Amino acid sequence: MSAVFVGDVGTQIVLDCGVDISTSTVRKIEAKKPSGVKVLWTATLDGTQRISYILQEGDLDAAGGWVLQAYIEMPGWSGRGEMARLDVRNVA
């Protein structure tokens, strides 16, 4: 992935869940900011195993290590995926 900066808009965040989630009814990305504050982004299905979200204005408001985790609800199962790290840089 190319560098990601504070304030970026339009960057696509993709998380691969590793299993078929095509029957999911809820798809979210839990994003934990470097400060520890958690935010939720509503994601869309991208294929059968991935979810994606397009960054909006104000989403990336802090530099540092963000932790991203998929949250999925499907018939008979709900839960989280593995955590991924996103390094967000300050604008020069």
Side-chain angles (χ1 to χ4, degrees), residues 33-79:
K33 299 180 183 193
S35 66
V37 173
K38 291 182 183 178
V39 294
L40 285 176
W41 298 331
T42 300
T44 58
L45 190 62
D46 183 359
T48 60
Q49 297 186 356
R50 297 176 307 209
I51 59 172
S52 67
Y53 175 75
I54 305 295
L55 291 173
Q56 305 295 310
E57 189 170 331
D59 284 340
L60 293 184
D61 59 359
W66 289 60
V67 178
L68 307 178
Q69 190 172 29
Y71 174 76
I72 304 294
E73 290 182 12
M74 308 190 301
W77 186 85
S78 64

